């Protein structure tokens, strides 16, 4: 058997893997990334000078020499302890959750996870339709900008209504974010559908356009810049326009209500894709566009609709970022849109899987802060470890999706399998 045939067979087994097998592959990939990362940490620790070794590798180990006696035959010191580092990276993101479930570090993890829910599912919707939406960042920025600007004028007159104001302003802010993101996402969708423009190029370019537009409007007092602030930002929103903290402290910038809304959106999108005619048309267009169009699906309209929905979801993420974290709009929005691409791939473009992938990504981002603050490990090394974990966990699912999209690996007599995990005419997993 030739090497290419072995590679094809391996790809076929990966494509046809069951859900449990894919879980085992991801878990194995995670373990392998941790082991390789530990070797990198030890190597970096040998190339760094320190007064006292943080980790010592000895043979026989301390457990043996303690009971047998004598000295170790071999011992080598390292400046960085990989066990302590991974403890901070994963468990540090939870803080002291047993004694203080509402601690600030856990709040940061929840906040990161909440926003990634929206950008992750936004990218997943586009990927399901066979469209590579690399513009979720720009759509998120536009949603955040419009939400922050409009609510500044709408919220103050309603502030006296108390809780009733929040009932009005929170849905309004989310709708504003969805509208702005949806319109901005429809632009590359229309360009692809009616001008055959490559959506990768147009969405990447529109990311820079969105950032420039936002900076232009919030850096000039004649538009939306806060005249009392030296920073480029809009006027702060009143408290009634912010998501309530509920069990967390106000300074933690997180809301369980926003998290619950994000989870509800994931379930809603999953139901939309699996149990509605629109979802079926979208998935079919992404899998086999020619066959879908032959079956009566309007491919151009589906492209525009899917990109509009994708942009709207990313725009809602921008609205949540403004109404939960910042309290106004500021340029320099973190790269939640780009992170959403990785989250979507980790989840296999499954809306329900986005929740778990976003949590893993949120833990890694929050834990990275703990490592940088609580240890002397260089930030660059922390970034390498985080990237290594994401790469190893995402690559099997990436190759699986690529195999379903561009290959034909179903067995004889078996129906073609869709990119979403279902059969050619069925529903997804």
């Amino acid at each position: 058997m030739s090497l290419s045939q072995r590679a094809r067979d391996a790809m076929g087994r990966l494509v046809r893997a069951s859900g449990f097998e894919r879980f085992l592959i991801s878990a194995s990939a995670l373990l392998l990334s941790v082991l390789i990362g530990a070797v990198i940490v030890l190597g970096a620790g040998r190339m760094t000078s320190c007064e006292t070794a943080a980790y010592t590798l000895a043979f026989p180990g301390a457990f043996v020499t303690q009971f047998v006696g004598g000295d170790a035959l071999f011992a080598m010191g390292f400046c960085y302890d990989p066990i302590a580092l991974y403890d901070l990276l994963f468990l540090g993101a939870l803080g002291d959750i047993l004694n203080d479930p509402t601690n600030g570090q856990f709040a940061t993890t929840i906040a990161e996870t909440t926003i990634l829910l929206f950008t992750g599912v936004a990218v997943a919707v586009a990927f399901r339709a066979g469209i590579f939406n690399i513009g979720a960042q720009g759509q998120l920025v536009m949603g955040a900008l419009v939400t922050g600007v409009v609510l500044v004028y709408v919220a103050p007159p309603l502030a006296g209504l108390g809780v009733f104001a929040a009932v009005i302003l929170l849905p309004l802010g989310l709708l504003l974010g969805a509208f702005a993101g949806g319109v901005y996402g429809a632009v590359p969708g229309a360009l692809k559908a009616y001008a055959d423009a490559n959506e990768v190029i147009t969405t990447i370019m529109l990311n820079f356009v969105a950032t420039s537009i936002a900076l232009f409007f919030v850096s000039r007092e004649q538009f939306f810049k806060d005249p009392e602030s030296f920073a480029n930002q809009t006027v702060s929103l009143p408290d009634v326009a912010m998501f309530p903290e509920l069990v967390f402290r106000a300074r933690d910038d997180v809301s369980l209500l926003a998290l619950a809304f994000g989870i509800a959106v994931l379930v809603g999108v999953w139901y939309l894709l699996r149990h509605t005619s629109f979802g079926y048309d979208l998935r079919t267009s992404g899998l086999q566009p020619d066959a879908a169009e032959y079956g009566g699906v309007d491919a151009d309209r589906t492209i525009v609709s899917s990109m509009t929905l994708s942009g709207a979801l990313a725009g809602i993420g921008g609205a949540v970022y403004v109404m939960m974290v910042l309290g106004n709009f500021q340029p320099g929005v973190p790269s939640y849109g780009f992170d959403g691409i990785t989250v979507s791939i980790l989840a296999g473009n499954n809306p329900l899987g986005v929740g778990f992938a976003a949590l893993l990504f949120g833990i890694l981002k929050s834990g990275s802060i703990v490592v940088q603050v609580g240890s002397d490990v260089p930030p660059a090394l922390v970034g390498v470890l985080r990237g290594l974990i994401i790469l190893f966990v995402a690559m099997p699912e990436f190759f699986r999706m690529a195999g379903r999209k561009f290959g034909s690996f179903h067995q004889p007599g078996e129906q073609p399998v869709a990119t979403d995990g279902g059969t050619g005419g069925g529903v997804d997993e």
Side-chain angles (χ1 to χ4, degrees):
M1 182 181 295
S2 64
L3 181 62
S4 61
Q5 184 60 39
R6 291 180 180 177
R8 182 175 177 81
D9 290 344
M11 178 67 78
R13 289 194 296 270
L14 180 61
V15 167
R16 294 189 296 268
S18 65
F20 180 70
E21 290 172 334
R22 288 157 56 193
F23 170 78
L24 292 180
I25 292 172
S26 298
S28 301
L30 176 61
L31 178 61
L32 181 61
S33 68
V34 170
L35 293 177
I36 294 177
V39 174
I40 295 176
V41 171
L42 292 176
R46 286 298 297 173
M47 293 184 291
T48 304
S49 59
C50 54
E51 295 182 359
T52 304
Y55 179 79
T56 301
L57 183 64
F59 178 81
F63 179 80
V64 176
T65 56
Q66 179 180 358
F67 292 95
V68 177
D71 298 328
L73 300 177
F74 166 84
M76 180 179 295
F78 301 87
C79 291
Y80 306 134
D81 184 349
I83 298 177
L85 192 152
Y86 278 116
D87 176 71
L88 290 175
L89 184 61
F90 288 105
L91 300 182
L94 305 179
D96 190 8
I97 193 172
L98 296 179
N99 297 321
D100 183 12
T102 61
N103 67 83
Q105 199 57 50
F106 184 53
T108 300
T109 302
I110 295 298
E112 295 285 339
T113 301
T114 300
I115 300 174
L116 289 172
L117 292 178
F118 297 101
T119 56
V121 75
V123 176
V125 166
F127 280 4
R128 281 291 185 89
I131 304 172
F132 293 92
N133 181 15
I134 315 299
Q137 181 68 18
Q139 295 146 18
L140 179 141
V141 169
M142 294 304 295
L145 174 65
V146 173
T147 300
V149 167
V150 175
L151 288 187
V152 164
Y153 297 96
V154 176
L158 300 176
L161 298 179
V163 66
F164 295 102
V167 173
I168 297 173
L169 293 174
L170 290 180
L172 176 61
L174 296 174
L175 288 174
L176 289 170
F179 174 78
V183 171
Y184 208 69
V187 173
L191 290 174
K192 177 178 177 60
Y194 302 111
D196 199 25
N198 188 295
E199 75 275 15
V200 175
I201 297 176
T202 55
T203 51
I204 290 177
M205 293 174 63
L206 286 172
N207 284 332
F208 295 101
V209 173
T211 302
S212 300
I213 291 175
L215 180 60
F216 175 82
F217 280 112
V218 300
S219 62
R220 290 165 172 80
E221 293 186 9
Q222 63 267 36
F223 292 109
F224 307 116
K225 182 181 184 298
D226 183 358
E228 299 182 0
S229 174
F230 291 104
N232 293 326
Q233 61 183 24
T234 61
V235 177
S236 298
L237 299 176
D239 291 340
V240 291
M242 298 288 293
F243 274 98
E245 297 81 12
L246 298 181
V247 300
F248 287 93
R249 297 161 293 192
R251 60 186 175 87
D252 290 330
D253 298 328
V254 66
S255 172
L256 291 182
L257 179 61
L259 176 63
F261 175 70
I263 295 174
V265 167
L266 297 187
V267 176
V269 172
W270 169 82
Y271 182 88
L272 176 72
L273 294 178
R274 178 164 180 165
H275 295 290
T276 67
S277 58
F278 171 77
Y280 176 77
D281 291 346
L282 185 147
R283 292 186 290 111
T284 306
S285 298
L287 173 64
Q288 296 172 336
D290 294 336
E293 192 167 3
Y294 179 79
V297 177
D298 189 333
D300 293 340
R301 186 178 64 182
T302 301
I303 290 174
V304 177
S305 299
S306 59
M307 279 298 293
T308 302
L309 176 59
S310 178
L313 292 169
I316 293 175
V320 171
Y321 179 62
V322 167
M323 295 189 296
M324 183 184 72
V325 178
L326 288 183
N328 62 4
F329 178 81
Q330 303 172 11
V333 178
S335 59
Y336 292 113
F338 298 111
D339 293 340
I341 300 173
T342 308
V343 169
S344 178
I345 294 176
L346 286 173
N349 295 335
N350 187 323
L352 298 183
V354 165
F356 299 100
L359 177 60
L360 173 61
F361 212 92
I363 288 175
L364 291 177
K365 294 186 70 174
S366 178
S368 297
I369 300 174
V370 178
V371 174
Q372 294 175 19
V373 174
S375 70
D376 57 352
V377 177
L381 182 57
V382 178
V384 168
L385 297 180
R386 195 177 81 178
L388 195 66
I389 292 172
I390 295 171
L391 178 65
F392 271 64
V393 177
M395 278 301 99
E397 195 63 35
F398 174 79
F399 284 119
R400 175 179 173 272
M401 291 189 297
R404 288 189 181 277
K405 178 69 176 178
F406 302 108
S408 178
F409 297 102
H410 55 280
Q411 296 175 348
E414 183 183 45
Q415 293 186 10
V417 182
T419 54
D420 53 18
T423 58
V427 296
D428 56 339
E429 294 176 342

